[in-house]
C-alpha cells in the first residue's frame, strides 16, 4: 500500500511543524472552546519544548493522548495501579516470548518426589521444621497466578509512592501555569499519576512475566512469593537451566528442591522475617522523589510515543528517573534490607550445601553454578534492582554464607539457627566482614554469663546458711561424736 499525497503531507507536517503549534493543537484537543483563553494567557509556549517535539507525537497520538487526559480529568475514581490489567500484561508478555508451558503429570510427580527427598535430607542440617504442606509444581502461567498476590503486596507501596512523587511534581509545575489552565486542569497531579500508574502496571507485568520464566521456585527473590509457606518448583525452568550443565537433570532438580525447602523452612520457622521484609520495602518506598530532568531527557530519547497503546510503548525505564532523597534513617533502612536479604540467601546456600554433600556427587559444582547465577542472571534482579534500586551484592552473599558456615563450626546447628529467634541476634555488616570477632565476643559473653550465674548461686547459698546458724557448717572431726551420740566412728579401745 502506498501513501497518498495527503498522507505524505500530513506525515511531513507532523515532523516539521513548529513545536509550539503542536502544543497549542494539543490544548485545543483537550479543552475545546476554553482553549483559546488558555493559549492567549500562555503568550507562547507553556514549557521550554525541545526542537524535535513534533517528531515525538504524531497528530493521531496527540488526539488519543488528549482523550485519555479528558477521561482522567473527569474521573472521580481514586488513582491506583490496575492490578487486573497488570496480570493480563504478565500473561501476554509470557505468551509473546513463547515461554508458555503445560505441566504434565510425570513432571509434576518428579518435582514433588524431589521435594520429599529434599525435606528428608534437611532434617539433619537445621532445627527448623518443614511446613505442613507437601509442596507443589507449577507451570509458568500458574507461577504468575500463584505469586501475583505477594508481588502486588511487594510493589504496590512502591507504585503508590511513585505516583505520589509524580503528582507532587506536576502540582508544583502547575503553579507556574496561567490561571485559566489551572482552573481547567483542576487537579493536574491526579491525571499525571493516573498515567504513571498505567505505565507502572505495564512495567510490573513485564517483571512478573520475567520472574515466572526464570524462577526455579517460590523463593528465588529471597522472600517467598506464595501466600502459603509450602515449597514450590517450576520444572520447565529447572529443565531449561539443566540443558547447559555438565550434571544430570535429576541431580539439578534435587539441588534446587533442597534450596527451596531450606528457604521455606526458614520463613516458616521465623515468623517475623517475611513481614519485616515487606514493611522495610514500604518504608524505603516512602522516600521516592522524582528526577524531572532525567524524565525529560529520557522522553526525548524515546522517539515517537503512542500513548493510546501502553503495550506498544517503548520501554520506559523507570530506574533512572527516581532519586532516593534519603535521610540517615532511610539510608540505614536500605542497608538493613540488603543485609537481611544476604543473610537469608547465604543461610539457604550454606544449609543446602551441608544437606546435599553426602548425597549428590556434583554438589560443589552445583553450588558454584548457583553462585554465578545469583551474580549474573538472578531472578531477584527483576524485583529488587529493576523496581526498587536495591543492589544485591554477590560479595555480601559470599560473606553471609561464610558466616553461617563458621556459625555451624563454632556453635552447632541448633545455636546457629537460634540466631534467627530475634533480629537483634543476627550479625551486622561488620560481623560478616569479621565473623571470628563475632564468635569470640559471643563466647566471652557466654563465659561471663556462666561465671556470673555461679557467683550469684554461691552467694545465695551462703546467705541462706548464715541466716540459719552463725556456725559455719562442717563435718565431725575424726574423734568427735556424732550429734545423735553415735560413736561408731571412734577407734576401738586399746586393751
Amino acid at each position: 500500500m502506498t501513501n497518498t499525497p495527503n498522507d505524505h503531507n500530513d506525515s511531513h507536517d507532523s515532523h516539521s511543524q513548529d513545536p509550539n503549534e503542536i502544543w497549542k493543537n494539543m490544548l485545543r484537543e483537550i479543552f475545546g472552546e476554553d482553549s483559546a483563553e488558555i493559549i492567549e494567557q500562555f503568550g507562547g509556549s507553556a514549557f521550554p519544548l525541545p526542537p524535535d517535539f513534533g517528531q515525538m507525537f504524531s497528530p493521531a497520538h496527540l488526539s488519543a493522548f488528549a482523550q485519555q487526559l479528558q477521561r482522567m480529568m473527569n474521573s472521580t475514581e481514586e488513582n491506583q495501579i490496575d492490578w487486573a490489567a497488570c496480570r493480563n500484561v504478565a500473561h501476554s508478555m509470557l505468551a509473546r516470548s513463547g515461554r508458555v508451558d503445560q505441566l504434565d503429570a510425570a513432571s509434576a510427580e518428579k518435582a514433588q518426589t524431589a521435594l520429599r527427598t529434599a525435606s528428608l535430607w534437611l532434617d539433619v542440617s537445621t532445627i527448623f521444621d518443614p511446613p505442613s504442606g507437601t509442596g507443589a509444581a507449577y507451570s509458568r502461567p500458574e507461577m504468575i497466578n500463584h505469586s501475583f498476590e505477594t508481588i502486588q503486596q511487594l510493589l504496590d507501596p512502591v507504585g503508590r509512592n511513585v505516583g505520589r512523587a509524580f503528582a507532587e511534581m506536576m502540582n508544583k509545575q502547575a503553579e507556574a501555569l496561567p490561571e485559566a489552565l489551572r482552573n481547567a486542569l483542576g487537579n493536574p497531579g491526579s491525571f499525571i499519576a493516573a498515567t504513571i500508574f498505567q505505565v507502572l502496571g505495564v512495567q510490573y507485568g513485564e517483571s512478573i512475566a520475567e520472574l515466572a520464566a526464570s524462577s526455579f521456585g517460590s523463593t528465588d527473590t529471597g522472600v517467598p512469593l506464595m501466600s502459603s509457606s509450602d515449597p514450590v518448583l517450576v520444572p520447565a525452568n529447572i529443565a531449561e537451566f539443566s540443558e547447559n550443565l555438565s550434571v544430570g537433570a535429576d541431580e539439578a532438580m534435587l539441588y534446587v528442591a533442597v534450596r527451596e525447602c531450606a528457604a521455606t523452612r526458614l520463613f516458616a520457622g521465623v515468623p517475623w522475617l517475611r513481614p519485616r521484609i515487606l514493611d522495610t520495602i514500604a518504608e524505603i518506598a516512602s522516600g521516592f522523589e522524582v528526577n524531572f530532568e532525567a524524565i525529560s531527557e529520557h522522553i526525548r530519547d524515546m522517539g515517537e510515543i503512542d500513548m493510546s497503546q501502553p503495550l506498544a510503548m517503548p520501554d520506559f525505564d523507570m530506574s533512572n528517573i527516581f532519586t532516593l532523597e534519603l535521610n540517615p534513617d532511610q539510608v540505614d533502612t536500605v542497608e538493613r534490607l540488603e543485609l537481611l536479604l544476604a543473610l537469608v540467601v547465604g543461610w539457604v546456600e550454606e544449609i543446602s550445601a551441608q544437606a546435599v554433600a553426602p548425597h549428590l556427587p556434583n554438589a560443589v559444582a552445583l553450588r558454584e553454578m548457583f553462585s554465578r547465577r545469583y551474580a549474573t542472571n538472578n531472578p531477584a534482579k527483576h524485583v529488587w534492582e529493576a523496581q526498587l534500586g536495591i543492589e544485591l551484592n554477590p560479595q555480601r552473599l559470599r560473606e553471609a554464607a561464610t558466616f553461617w558456615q563458621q556459625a555451624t563450626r563454632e556453635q552447632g546447628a541448633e545455636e546457629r539457627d537460634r540466631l534467627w529467634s530475634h533480629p537483634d541476634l543476627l550479625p551486622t555488616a561488620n560481623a560478616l566482614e569479621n565473623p571470628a570477632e563475632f564468635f569470640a565476643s559471643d563466647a566471652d559473653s557466654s563465659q561471663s554469663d556462666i561465671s556470673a550465674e555461679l557467683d550469684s548461686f554461691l552467694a545465695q547459698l551462703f546467705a541462706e546458711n548464715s541466716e540459719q546458724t552463725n556456725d559455719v557448717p562442717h563435718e565431725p572431726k575424726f574423734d568427735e561424736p556424732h550429734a545423735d551420740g553415735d560413736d561408731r566412728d571412734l577407734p576401738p579401745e586399746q586393751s
Side-chain angles (χ1 to χ4, degrees):
M1 178 177 177
T2 58
N3 291 330
T4 64
N6 289 337
D7 290 336
H8 175 78
N9 290 338
D10 288 344
S11 175
H12 175 76
D13 289 343
S14 67
H15 290 271
S16 61
Q17 195 174 4
D18 178 50
N20 289 331
E21 189 61 32
I22 296 176
W23 170 253
K24 294 175 184 178
N25 288 339
M26 185 166 67
L27 293 179
R28 295 187 185 102
E29 287 275 0
I30 297 172
F31 299 107
E33 296 178 356
D34 296 332
S35 62
E37 180 182 358
I38 295 171
I39 292 172
E40 182 179 353
Q41 290 193 22
F42 272 128
S45 174
F47 298 101
L49 301 176
D52 56 352
F53 185 78
Q55 299 178 10
M56 297 163 59
F57 292 91
S58 71
H61 294 164
L62 279 178
S63 179
F65 182 49
Q67 292 173 10
Q68 283 196 347
L69 285 180
Q70 286 178 324
R71 287 196 298 270
M72 295 173 190
M73 291 162 55
N74 295 329
S75 174
T76 59
E77 297 181 0
E78 180 185 0
N79 286 331
Q80 58 184 344
I81 294 174
D82 186 342
W83 288 103
C86 178
R87 186 196 297 262
N88 292 336
V89 169
H91 282 288
S92 175
M93 294 299 297
L94 190 66
R96 289 170 58 185
S97 65
R99 308 297 298 279
V100 175
D101 65 305
Q102 298 290 332
L103 181 63
D104 58 76
S107 297
E109 177 59 30
K110 181 180 291 187
Q112 290 179 321
T113 299
L115 289 172
R116 289 192 293 269
T117 303
S119 186
L120 291 174
W121 292 352
L122 283 166
D123 284 340
V124 298
S125 299
T126 177
I127 67 170
F128 295 125
D129 294 327
S132 57
T134 59
Y138 291 148
S139 66
R140 291 168 181 144
E142 288 173 331
M143 188 67 177
I144 290 177
N145 293 331
H146 287 282
S147 65
F148 194 84
E149 180 181 347
T150 298
I151 296 176
Q152 178 179 344
Q153 192 176 359
L154 280 169
L155 296 180
D156 190 63
V158 179
R160 287 181 179 274
N161 279 284
V162 169
R164 169 197 56 79
F166 267 96
E168 291 175 355
M169 177 201 71
M170 187 63 180
N171 287 333
K172 185 176 181 179
Q173 294 288 325
E175 293 175 359
L177 296 176
E179 182 179 359
L181 181 57
R182 288 202 308 271
N183 294 337
L185 288 174
N187 181 3
S190 178
F191 68 76
I192 195 65
T195 302
I196 293 304
F197 286 142
Q198 187 178 32
V199 174
L200 286 175
V202 173
Q203 192 161 333
Y204 290 169
E206 291 176 346
S207 292
I208 294 169
E210 290 170 352
L211 271 175
S214 59
S215 295
F216 295 158
S218 69
T219 59
D220 271 4
T221 60
V223 60
L225 294 181
M226 307 297 159
S227 55
S228 71
S229 58
D230 296 335
V232 168
L233 295 179
V234 185
N237 292 339
I238 300 171
E240 188 176 84
F241 176 74
S242 303
E243 291 176 356
N244 299 321
L245 300 182
S246 58
V247 302
D250 291 344
E251 190 172 353
M253 174 77 77
L254 282 167
Y255 188 83
V256 173
V258 170
R259 289 177 63 96
E260 175 72 7
C261 288
T264 54
R265 283 191 184 212
L266 176 63
F267 279 92
V270 185
W272 60 263
L273 184 55
R274 188 173 186 267
R276 191 178 187 89
I277 292 176
L278 297 178
D279 291 344
T280 306
I281 291 170
E283 185 178 348
I284 293 171
S286 66
F288 276 138
E289 299 295 340
V290 177
N291 186 340
F292 185 65
E293 293 182 0
I295 295 173
S296 301
E297 181 179 353
H298 191 57
I299 290 177
R300 284 195 294 269
D301 295 339
M302 286 171 63
E304 187 175 293
I305 303 173
D306 183 357
M307 294 296 292
S308 65
Q309 297 292 332
L311 283 175
M313 291 175 61
D315 184 16
F316 196 91
D317 183 9
M318 290 286 185
S319 61
N320 297 321
I321 66 174
F322 303 109
T323 58
L324 284 171
E325 299 294 340
L326 300 178
N327 57 44
D329 290 339
Q330 288 171 317
V331 170
D332 178 67
T333 303
V334 172
E335 292 176 350
R336 282 190 287 108
L337 180 59
E338 292 174 349
L339 174 62
L340 188 56
L341 291 172
L343 287 172
V344 169
V345 179
W347 184 91
V348 169
E349 178 177 318
E350 179 57 29
I351 272 57
S352 299
Q354 295 175 18
V356 302
H359 307 286
L360 300 182
N362 294 292
V364 175
L366 282 165
R367 180 175 184 172
E368 180 59 31
M369 292 173 189
F370 271 77
S371 296
R372 288 201 299 268
R373 175 177 179 261
Y374 186 90
T376 57
N377 191 31
N378 180 14
K381 293 178 182 290
H382 301 311
V383 175
W384 305 120
E385 293 188 18
Q387 308 304 337
L388 293 170
I390 296 174
E391 182 181 359
L392 299 174
N393 189 342
Q395 175 63 30
R396 180 59 54 83
L397 169 63
R398 289 191 292 271
E399 292 173 350
T402 300
F403 173 87
W404 293 119
Q405 184 181 56
Q406 186 162 348
T408 305
R409 290 198 306 266
E410 298 284 343
Q411 299 179 325
E414 184 171 351
E415 291 304 315
R416 175 204 66 206
D417 290 348
R418 290 194 193 282
L419 292 174
W420 290 101
S421 60
H422 192 278
D424 292 344
L425 297 178
L426 290 174
T428 63
N430 290 335
L432 291 190
E433 295 174 0
N434 189 2
E437 183 177 330
F438 175 89
F439 294 111
S441 63
D442 189 58
D444 292 342
S445 175
S446 299
Q447 185 62 41
S448 176
D449 291 343
I450 293 173
S451 299
E453 289 181 11
L454 180 59
D455 291 342
S456 176
F457 171 76
L458 291 175
Q460 183 178 0
L461 178 63
F462 282 115
E464 291 174 353
N465 287 332
S466 64
E467 290 176 0
Q468 296 174 2
T469 177
N470 291 327
D471 298 331
V472 178
H474 63 278
E475 287 292 323
K477 295 179 180 178
F478 179 74
D479 58 350
E480 181 181 1
H482 281 261
D484 59 2
D486 186 2
D487 59 355
R488 61 183 178 274
D489 292 328
L490 294 176
E493 293 183 357
Q494 299 293 329
S495 56

